[in-house]
Amino acid sequence: NAGVTQTPKFQVLKTGQSMTLQCAQDMNHNSMYWYRQDPGMGLRLIYYSASEGTTDKGEVPNGYNVSRLNKREFSLRLESAAPSQTSVYFCASSYRGETDTQYFGPGTRLTVL
Amino acid sequence: GNSVTQMEGPVTLSEEAFLTINCTYTATGYPSLFWYVQYPGEGLQLLLKATKADDKGSNKGFEATYRKETTSFHLEKGSVQVSDSAVYFCALSDSRNTPLVFGKGTRLSVIA
């Protein structure tokens, strides 16, 4: 039972490049989330998916797109990376999304030069 | 909107000292409250939670009581260890099925 997995673990991009962060969970959870973590800012929600086939914007969605590919997978895409997107990105999942525990992946550390 | 405020860090304690990390919240309705912990280089993991007023969550020697009258959920531990060094996040989940709202985190360093 792997829980929540994220790839890659580290990535360096140049300004304007694109990339997709992958996330998968094997816990049969309905809800999945993408957060970014910056020093002194805590975790901020980028996008979430309450169930397969639905996605919603969070607090900081600009510059990102998401795809809920199936129940297991939820990807985050940066179409044109900017230095302000340098951050650590965490994917999380939960069974129902309301009061249930969120389980987090190990994170992707992204640097945009 | 919903928000969580937790004490600024970093907090540095000697081993076996008493720990309190303050957390207060603003929310409509009756939120569930959580403490998550992030060890160096890892993702967050749930430490404890409470889903209604006066509930006490506890795990690994940590405790927090849901106080509706003071809108607080302070984290406490009677005797910290070096292995407790981590960043601690307070969070809430609104009963209207919205995602977690996190505080900014408090870094704890415990020295031997």
Side-chain angles (χ1 to χ4, degrees):
Chain A
N1 190 337
V4 179
T5 57
Q6 293 182 236
T7 55
K9 284 186 170 28
F10 302 94
Q11 183 71 50
V12 178
L13 295 177
K14 295 181 180 177
T15 297
Q17 288 185 316
S18 62
M19 79 161 294
T20 299
L21 281 65
Q22 306 287 354
C23 174
Q25 52 90 10
D26 62 1
M27 296 174 282
N28 200 35
H29 284 168
N30 295 313
S31 302
M32 298 185 73
Y33 312 83
W34 276 106
Y35 296 90
R36 58 178 289 172
Q37 183 178 29
D38 303 294
M41 300 295 290
L43 273 80
R44 293 182 291 171
L45 183 68
I46 304 171
Y47 271 94
Y48 68 103
S49 170
S51 60
E52 188 179 353
T54 68
T55 60
D56 286 284
K57 295 179 181 179
E59 182 185 354
V60 289
N62 291 345
Y64 304 94
N65 286 301
V66 290
S67 296
R68 183 74 184 266
L69 304 170
N70 48 55
K71 191 170 186 179
R72 289 187 64 248
E73 298 172 288
F74 188 39
S75 62
L76 178 72
R77 183 160 178 84
L78 287 70
E79 291 290 352
S80 178
S84 60
Q85 294 178 305
T86 294
S87 188
V88 181
Y89 291 85
F90 288 100
C91 177
S93 70
S94 66
Y95 183 61
R96 278 189 293 272
E98 192 169 295
T99 60
D100 282 354
T101 301
Q102 285 191 17
Y103 293 83
F104 284 78
T108 294
R109 185 174 295 275
L110 175 67
T111 301
V112 183
L113 302 174
Chain B
N2 298 336
S3 67
V4 174
T5 303
Q6 57 183 110
M7 62 187 289
E8 298 279 336
V11 174
T12 302
L13 295 174
S14 298
E15 208 166 22
E16 299 183 3
F18 184 85
L19 168 71
T20 299
I21 300 177
N22 291 336
C23 172
T24 57
Y25 67 90
T26 302
T28 54
Y30 303 94
S32 294
L33 300 173
F34 304 80
W35 277 102
Y36 279 81
V37 58
Q38 183 181 29
Y39 297 106
E42 298 183 9
L44 280 71
Q45 55 186 276
L46 179 71
L47 181 59
L48 53 86
K49 68 179 182 182
T51 58
K52 61 183 188 295
D54 299 325
D55 268 3
K56 178 186 283 187
S58 61
N59 186 25
K60 299 182 181 179
F62 291 89
E63 292 183 339
T65 301
Y66 188 163
R67 301 285 188 202
K68 191 169 185 296
E69 63 276 13
T70 54
T71 62
S72 65
F73 192 55
H74 304 322
L75 182 67
E76 296 182 334
K77 187 175 185 183
S79 176
V80 294
Q81 305 300 314
V82 172
S83 56
D84 294 326
S85 297
V87 181
Y88 292 82
F89 292 91
C90 186
L92 71 81
S93 174
D94 189 294
S95 60
R96 291 175 296 170
N97 196 28
T98 54
L100 287 175
V101 174
F102 285 89
K104 293 186 177 181
T106 303
R107 182 176 300 275
L108 170 67
S109 295
V110 181
I111 54 177

